[in-house]
Amino acid sequence: MQCRPSVLLLAAALLAGGCSSSGNGEEGSAPAPAATTERPYLLEQVDDAAVVQLYADGFSSLPLREKTLIYHLYQAALAGRDIFIDQKHRHALEMRGVIEQIIAHPQGVDPASLREIQRYTKLFWLNNGQYNNLTARKFVLNLTPQALAAAVTAAAASGATFTPPQGESLDAMLTRLGPMFFDANVDPIVTNKSPGPGRDILTASANNLYSGVSMADLKGFTEKYPLNSRLVKRDGKLVEEVYRLDGRYGAQIANVVKHLEAAVPFASEPMADALRALIQWYRTGEQADQAKYDIAWVQDKDSPVDTINGFIEVYMDPRGIKGSWEALVFYVNREKTSRIRTLAANAQWFEDRMPWNPAYRKPSVTGIIANAIDVVVETGDSGPVTPIGINLPNDQRIREQYGSKSISLSNVNEAYDKSTPTSMRGEFTWTPEETERAEKFGALAGELTTDLHEVLGHASGRQKEGQTGSPQELIKEHFSALEEARADLVALYFLPDPKLAELGVLPAADQDDIVRAEYEAYTRNALTQLRRVREGTQIEEDHMRNRQMVVRWLMANTKAIEERTRDGKHYLVLVDPAAFREGVGRLLAEVQRIKSEGDAAAAAKLFDTHGIHFDAAVRDEIVRRVDALKLPSYTGFVMPTLTPVMGADGNITDVTISYPQDLTTQMLEYSGVRSR
Ligand SMILES: [Zn+2]
């Protein structure tokens, strides 16, 4: 599964529901703004999308063998990217062919038309098609069909090549694709899980995972290739078009396989096993081979380089069965991973000092280990818009028997942070010193809090002796929010502990500032997160409930936070970090008691009093303040570019990394429309 940053992608730690993470309370707690760093992060904003350059600083110092391995895996990632675009919509690749040719041959195209085609094409690239990543809704080209046709004619005169299918003229193709370019009501939603009464989730969804199939057709039909096939109704019969070497997407898969094979000799033995199993799955498409791949992949725990490649996540299918193609290539960020491992190795020290009833401490605890990684490339379902954390495989049987691997995407988080506009923080901080602290220490504070939350928070505590029934069953709908609160509180509680400096996970001299920056950010978030609930007066999402509850409880039970107004605007201001920490300890003791004893009534009261309801007038004010700043609502990344250096014998002697810092350049290179 993927953890995606939430609607306003301003920070590392804010994950979508279902992912156990986040300690950093505030989406806006980022470090130095783009303007003051030497290299660009935020490249441009297209409507509500930010385009941000991703950097992979550690790549250059990897050994040649690992660089070479990554280069071949990178090639495999690029070789499959069109698969996902075709999975999104049956016309998406044809549409891309038209608009990319115009973008690459702009001479003679009417300037106003060209600007609109550029805007549309950038959104198309960022979203891998004509549907918005966040809303699943179609966006359109705001031109007349005549203006598009004129742009095509002008581009053709400048050397563009358009390739209508055999037997169709260019005009006829443009007419056929017209409704997809211009009409928001034709195939309006890519994935529609609640189309309304009497409508079918498959026929109401515009994706290309099915063709002519409704849910009723599926009764009594057992799929042999549930994850990796397109299901088509042909002459009244259901046919599975299997994604494999001699099946659907065979041409792309052949290329992917060729590059995976080239990678094998440079991989560690466990990783080579996984790559060979993946190749076998691409050959046969069989479920049994998929399981072998999943097992081999999850058993490779220590390779410094890794890849995810294949039909993996099922979010685009309204049934949640069919896999979207994706690829990621990454290497372990040793420094950040070592911080995680240090905390995990000392988990017992922290457990013994949890501020709750000693009966609810674990006598023997192991921290949860994840790898912090740096991404080199992401394509398909995971790029240019990327997750920030991933936990795989999805197959529950394999997870139970062999475990799973968790990764957090460090350089993606860093790029989110560094591309955050300062205006967001400045709007909600009470003093310039608070803004400065957020810029200087916010990112590190957020990362540390997330590590403590994940590694120590979720791993800690135990149920009351003799308690039967899992806490989920006992605490029911409030369980997730309670558990997230528990993990956040563990992080907030230990952040000021001198043990952290002693372990070397933070610099002692900065600890007070780091703590203060985090407490301030967590506090501000109780206001700023309200912009995400634009309707009603209730918070539904569990992470949001937890954070609202913690801040409002502290306001009701300590003197740590003051609510102030200035020029008619509301602020939440941290005034006493020591009182904040003391309150966190008290609340944590109660939250752990509720979990350990399965006290559902107390959980319900806690959230009902502090975590769910809010003042609509304040929310409206926050929304106005945020909207006035014109912040992007999602981010797409320009990936690094790898270039091999070849020796006289045809072997790779080095691989260099560079950063295009331009979406158009990268996308036209990826498609082969423009060469480097
Ligand atoms: Zn969590």
Side-chain angles (χ1 to χ4, degrees):
M1 79 201 77
Q2 294 182 344
C3 305
R4 290 205 173 244
S6 45
V7 186
L8 227 106
L9 310 163
L10 297 175
L14 212 89
L15 302 184
C19 292
S20 67
S21 181
S22 183
N24 180 352
E26 185 198 49
E27 297 122 277
S29 67
T36 61
T37 53
E38 320 92 50
R39 57 184 187 184
Y41 283 86
L42 181 60
L43 304 172
E44 59 180 320
Q45 187 167 340
V46 187
D47 289 1
D48 64 337
V51 181
V52 172
Q53 177 66 53
L54 186 67
Y55 296 92
D57 292 325
F59 179 84
S60 305
S61 45
L62 295 176
L64 176 60
R65 183 184 163 120
E66 288 169 22
K67 286 185 188 172
T68 310
L69 170 63
I70 289 174
Y71 176 68
H72 291 301
L73 297 171
Y74 162 92
Q75 296 275 83
L78 296 183
R81 69 186 274 272
D82 285 1
I83 296 174
F84 180 60
I85 296 169
D86 187 74
Q87 286 184 303
K88 269 233 164 140
H89 194 273
R90 65 195 181 285
H91 295 321
L93 287 172
E94 280 186 297
M95 294 167 73
R96 190 186 69 180
V98 172
I99 53 185
E100 284 189 345
Q101 284 298 319
I102 299 171
I103 298 292
H105 302 88
Q107 303 83 354
V109 177
D110 170 68
S113 297
L114 182 62
R115 270 196 304 279
E116 169 58 12
I117 294 167
Q118 285 167 333
R119 180 198 68 88
Y120 177 86
T121 305
K122 285 174 185 173
L123 291 180
F124 192 101
W125 284 327
L126 294 172
N127 291 285
N128 283 301
Q130 64 274 41
Y131 295 92
N132 180 292
N133 246 287
L134 289 177
T135 64
R137 289 183 177 274
K138 188 165 128 184
F139 52 86
V140 294
L141 180 61
N142 296 314
L143 282 184
T144 61
Q146 293 74 19
L148 178 63
V152 165
T153 306
S158 310
T161 38
F162 297 94
T163 48
Q166 192 101 54
E168 189 177 49
S169 69
L170 179 54
D171 282 350
M173 180 173 81
L174 290 177
T175 304
R176 175 168 57 80
L177 297 178
M180 286 315 299
F181 278 122
F182 305 114
D183 189 345
N185 296 313
V186 173
D187 285 356
I189 302 178
V190 67
T191 304
N192 192 346
K193 289 183 186 165
S194 33
R199 299 195 56 212
D200 184 88
I201 56 169
L202 297 185
T203 55
S205 299
N207 64 57
N208 194 22
L209 302 171
Y210 301 89
S211 178
V213 181
S214 70
M215 289 301 284
D217 296 319
L218 289 169
K219 287 211 182 83
F221 180 78
T222 310
E223 288 154 289
K224 203 170 161 230
Y225 305 91
L227 191 69
N228 58 322
S229 71
R230 184 172 88 138
L231 196 53
V232 178
K233 197 166 173 185
R234 201 174 287 148
D235 305 325
K237 278 181 62 181
L238 288 178
V239 179
E240 291 181 85
E241 293 178 350
V242 185
Y243 308 149
R244 64 181 171 203
L245 204 51
D246 67 348
R248 188 170 181 86
Y249 305 130
Q252 288 92 343
I253 288 173
N255 255 326
V256 173
V257 165
K258 181 181 86 184
H259 293 297
L260 292 175
E261 283 173 337
V264 169
F266 301 94
S268 66
E269 207 31 56
M271 184 179 182
D273 283 344
L275 291 176
R276 281 188 286 259
L278 174 58
I279 292 165
Q280 183 63 11
W281 180 38
Y282 275 133
R283 285 212 175 95
T284 70
E286 296 295 332
Q287 273 187 290
D289 288 324
Q290 182 211 331
K292 283 182 192 161
Y293 164 55
D294 280 349
I295 292 166
W297 181 80
V298 82
Q299 287 187 324
D300 173 21
K301 302 256 197 251
D302 297 316
S303 292
V305 172
D306 205 352
T307 191
I308 295 165
N309 183 311
F311 300 93
I312 316 268
E313 305 287 357
V314 295
Y315 302 110
M316 189 162 70
D317 179 6
R319 289 170 67 217
I321 301 290
K322 302 279 175 217
S324 298
W325 192 87
E326 70 173 347
L328 300 92
V329 182
F330 50 90
Y331 57 88
V332 173
N333 181 320
R334 298 206 175 275
E335 190 190 324
K336 289 184 177 170
T337 300
S338 103
R339 189 170 72 203
I340 290 170
R341 287 174 195 256
T342 300
L343 288 174
N346 289 276
Q348 193 66 52
W349 187 94
F350 292 94
E351 185 75 14
D352 294 342
R353 286 158 186 81
M354 288 294 173
W356 58 62
N357 184 343
Y360 303 148
R361 292 179 192 150
K362 275 185 182 149
S364 156
V365 66
T366 2
I368 294 166
I369 292 189
N371 272 336
I373 59 103
D374 285 338
V375 163
V376 176
V377 71
E378 294 174 275
T379 60
D381 196 14
S382 57
V385 178
T386 144
I388 60 173
I390 297 177
N391 185 287
L392 287 173
N394 285 328
D395 188 325
Q396 193 54 38
R397 294 159 307 170
I398 292 172
R399 296 171 70 85
E400 279 165 22
Q401 206 179 337
Y402 299 92
S404 65
K405 283 202 282 197
S406 285
I407 54 170
S408 96
L409 283 60
S410 297
N411 59 339
V412 170
N413 281 326
E414 183 212 21
Y416 273 128
D417 280 338
K418 300 247 168 153
S419 61
T420 301
T422 27
S423 52
M424 178 69 184
R425 259 183 315 272
E427 177 64 30
F428 294 96
T429 50
W430 185 251
T431 62
E433 292 72 40
E434 186 180 342
T435 313
E436 213 173 285
R437 211 167 11 249
E439 287 176 357
K440 194 156 173 213
F441 297 104
L444 175 59
E447 268 178 30
L448 276 168
T449 308
T450 302
D451 287 350
L452 292 166
H453 171 117
E454 293 289 355
V455 179
L456 302 179
H458 283 305
S460 68
R462 65 165 166 173
Q463 292 307 94
K464 185 180 173 181
E465 192 84 14
Q467 181 80 51
T468 54
S470 70
Q472 285 93 326
E473 289 162 349
L474 295 169
I475 297 171
K476 302 191 184 71
E477 74 268 26
H478 295 296
F479 174 76
S480 292
L482 188 83
E483 177 60 16
E484 293 309 318
R486 206 176 67 83
D488 269 8
L489 289 164
V490 167
L492 295 170
Y493 182 75
F494 282 112
L495 198 59
D497 200 300
K499 184 73 174 177
L500 295 184
E502 195 187 300
L503 291 173
V505 302
L506 56 70
D510 294 338
Q511 188 159 13
D512 285 350
D513 281 323
I514 290 170
V515 169
R516 200 167 183 123
E518 180 59 27
Y519 285 3
E520 285 170 338
Y522 203 94
T523 300
R524 287 196 300 273
N525 178 63
L527 279 185
T528 56
Q529 71 169 353
L530 294 180
R531 75 186 182 282
R532 295 166 55 209
V533 193
R534 297 207 166 206
E535 279 156 37
T537 57
Q538 287 206 127
I539 295 173
E540 301 293 341
E541 203 276 322
D542 291 321
H543 294 85
M544 291 178 66
R545 279 188 175 183
N546 125 47
R547 296 186 195 128
Q548 198 74 11
M549 185 279 285
V550 169
V551 172
R552 294 289 165 185
W553 187 95
L554 290 172
M555 290 172 70
N557 293 280
T558 74
K559 295 197 180 337
I561 298 165
E562 282 178 13
E563 184 159 21
R564 296 183 189 166
T565 54
R566 184 169 60 201
D567 304 332
K569 293 175 173 179
H570 283 81
Y571 295 83
L572 289 182
V573 186
L574 173 83
V575 292
D576 186 346
F580 188 103
R581 199 221 187 190
E582 180 278 330
V584 161
R586 254 193 296 150
L587 177 56
L588 178 52
E590 171 63 2
V591 164
Q592 183 62 48
R593 184 200 66 75
I594 293 172
K595 181 180 178 185
S596 294
E597 298 175 10
D599 188 345
K605 181 148 180 276
L606 194 57
F607 285 101
D608 205 49
T609 309
H610 303 291
I612 296 176
H613 311 283
F614 61 82
D615 180 347
V618 173
R619 183 267 322 276
D620 293 345
E621 174 205 315
I622 304 300
V623 166
R624 276 196 306 275
R625 288 162 70 183
V626 170
D627 284 356
L629 299 172
K630 292 207 170 44
L631 296 169
S633 47
Y634 66 102
T635 297
F637 289 90
V638 173
M639 301 287 157
T641 299
L642 298 185
T643 311
V645 179
M646 309 300 273
D649 57 356
N651 286 323
I652 294 175
T653 57
D654 196 9
V655 180
T656 59
I657 191 163
S658 57
Y659 305 103
Q661 297 175 353
D662 184 65
L663 179 70
T664 301
T665 303
Q666 176 149 84
M667 289 293 137
L668 293 180
E669 281 174 13
Y670 278 3
S671 308
V673 171
R674 196 182 279 167
S675 58
R676 263 197 293 142

